[in-house]
Amino acid sequence: MAGIGMRFNGRKVISSQLRRELTRSMEKQVEDSLKKASGPGVRMKKTRDGYVFEGRPEQIERMKKRLR
């Protein structure tokens, strides 16, 4: 017995996969928002503890204002 099937983001998933798919979708949205806010000259690295940004202090401050 496979469980209940449905479509999420154009992909067929069963109930046991739904939580994983929702988590992955949310993580992608957060990452896309951070990339968009970082702008040119700021490098973003994903680490096991979260995200690390590298750039000049004024670039980092500009990015923080965009995220508010």
Side-chain angles (χ1 to χ4, degrees), residues 4-68:
I4 300 171
M6 62 185 292
R7 294 188 83 68
F8 178 74
N9 284 343
R11 297 168 55 174
K12 187 174 182 179
V13 294
I14 58 174
S15 57
S16 63
Q17 295 172 315
L18 187 57
R19 187 179 85 161
R20 182 178 44 209
E21 291 294 326
L22 289 171
T23 302
R24 194 171 86 166
S25 176
M26 187 61 153
E27 287 172 352
K28 183 169 174 15
Q29 284 229 322
V30 168
E31 190 169 333
D32 290 346
S33 296
L34 289 172
K35 281 181 184 177
K36 185 178 178 185
S38 64
V42 178
R43 287 198 297 162
M44 183 176 97
K45 293 181 183 177
K46 186 175 182 179
T47 65
R48 69 176 194 197
D49 297 324
Y51 294 94
V52 176
F53 297 91
E54 297 175 351
R56 295 192 321 260
E58 58 270 9
Q59 292 171 322
I60 300 295
E61 285 300 317
R62 198 173 318 132
M63 184 192 84
K64 285 171 36 179
K65 287 179 184 177
R66 287 185 194 133
L67 288 174
R68 289 184 195 161

